[in-house]
Amino acid sequence: EDFEGSDLTFCGMFDAEDHRKYHYMYKHVKGRCVVHSGKRRHGAMDIEKGERASLIMWTKSRSFRNTEQYEKRNKANLRMGPADRVCLSYTHDRDYKSLMPKKLQYNMKPRQDGEDAASSSAASTAPVPTERRWERVCADGELKEGGAKMIALEPENEQVGVFRHRGELFAIDNRCAHMGGPLCEGDIEDLGTRAKRLGMPIGGRDGAR
């Protein structure tokens, strides 16, 4: 169908000094494919209108992933450094919440009032103090087998997904570690949930993928 938005953004390579700086934005064209290195930081802007479906294929080398070089590269911490908003990642950047304005967190918005479409720099946001407290989710009988419920913690801008699977209750971060999508809308499979946006499996006991 016709759609608007969902452009692809490309930033620097993961092992480069400028890996958090915006490089290029690609507008989708029906029938055309995009081939790029998996080491290049990339993401999709939020879709603004209509629907679209993409065929995404990954290629990987099992022999390379078993080498010391690959293990060393993956254990190394990413350099933080300067960041453009569209390059920040909920998964990869430890300072994501301090740099991304709260109203834009877990979204990929192309433009805000008075802001450049792509390369606006991230601005520091003061962290919200957290505290331990009980939060009511629902009565035990309200959550049926295979069901899920999300609770939103507004001050902290967090979401917790609570699932009932095989008679047990599980609570994990409701946001998919890949794109920040809502896990409560996914499918529950064998003590895990499959993220709706990309079909990525997430562990139901610990949130691991």
Side-chain angles (χ1 to χ4, degrees), residues 90 96-97 100-107 125-130 133 150-160 173-175 180:
Y90 164 63
Y96 175 86
K97 282 195 170 184
M100 183 70 80
K102 182 178 176 180
K103 65 179 181 178
L104 298 178
Q105 289 177 8
Y106 311 109
N107 293 284
T125 302
V128 177
T130 58
R133 65 179 186 270
M150 184 273 290
I151 57 173
L153 307 175
E154 295 294 343
E156 299 88 354
N157 195 22
E158 297 286 2
Q159 294 180 358
V160 177
D173 188 335
N174 185 51
R175 293 186 171 106

Side-chain angles (χ1 to χ4, degrees), residues 72-86:
K72 183 178 179 180
R73 190 190 78 187
N74 275 26
K75 282 185 177 180
N77 291 325
L78 288 175
R79 304 177 183 90
M80 294 298 102
D84 289 329
R85 179 172 61 77
V86 295

Side-chain angles (χ1 to χ4, degrees), residues 19 61 69 72 85 127 132-134 154 162 164 205:
H19 71 104
S61 168
Q69 179 185 357
K72 183 178 179 180
R85 179 172 61 77
R132 284 193 173 188
R133 65 179 186 270
W134 291 101
E154 295 294 343
V162 181
R164 185 183 294 278
R205 290 189 183 276

Side-chain angles (χ1 to χ4, degrees), residues 6-196:
S6 199
D7 300 338
L8 295 179
T9 58
F10 292 96
C11 303
M13 304 294 278
F14 269 110
D15 52 0
E17 294 286 348
D18 67 345
H19 71 104
R20 303 205 302 182
K21 298 299 289 182
Y22 166 78
H23 284 206
Y24 181 74
M25 183 174 291
Y26 173 81
K27 287 189 137 341
H28 289 285
V29 177
K30 289 182 180 179
R32 182 179 295 175
C33 74
V34 179
V35 180
H36 67 89
S37 169
K39 287 176 62 182
R40 180 170 295 283
R41 295 192 68 153
H42 60 282
M45 309 303 286
D46 289 350
I47 193 165
E48 298 172 7
K49 181 182 177 181
E51 295 182 1
R52 62 177 287 265
S54 295
L55 173 63
I56 303 174
M57 295 185 290
W58 285 271
T59 59
K60 61 183 180 181
S61 168
R62 292 189 181 277
S63 58
F64 174 65
R65 292 193 173 206
N66 289 328
T67 64
E68 184 178 346
Q69 179 185 357
Y70 179 82
E71 184 177 353
K72 183 178 179 180
R73 190 190 78 187
N74 275 26
K75 282 185 177 180
N77 291 325
L78 288 175
R79 304 177 183 90
M80 294 298 102
D84 289 329
R85 179 172 61 77
V86 295
C87 298
L88 287 173
S89 164
Y90 164 63
T91 306
H92 296 109
D93 298 301
R94 298 190 304 274
D95 54 357
Y96 175 86
K97 282 195 170 184
S98 65
L99 292 178
M100 183 70 80
K102 182 178 176 180
K103 65 179 181 178
L104 298 178
Q105 289 177 8
Y106 311 109
N107 293 284
M108 286 292 284
K109 301 293 185 184
R111 179 184 285 124
Q112 299 295 306
D113 291 341
E115 180 184 53
D116 181 80
S119 58
S120 58
S121 294
S124 179
T125 302
V128 177
T130 58
E131 61 175 310
R132 284 193 173 188
R133 65 179 186 270
W134 291 101
E135 289 284 342
R136 186 183 189 280
V137 179
C138 63
D140 183 68
E142 294 177 25
L143 194 57
K144 306 300 182 183
E145 176 65 25
K149 187 176 179 64
M150 184 273 290
I151 57 173
L153 307 175
E154 295 294 343
E156 299 88 354
N157 195 22
E158 297 286 2
Q159 294 180 358
V160 177
V162 181
F163 303 83
R164 185 183 294 278
H165 182 64
R166 296 180 181 174
E168 292 187 78
L169 293 173
F170 302 90
I172 59 174
D173 188 335
N174 185 51
R175 293 186 171 106
C176 166
H178 183 259
M179 294 181 67
L183 293 181
C184 278
E185 297 179 12
D187 299 320
I188 300 176
E189 303 175 355
D190 297 327
L191 289 180
T193 180
R194 188 168 293 275
K196 185 177 181 180

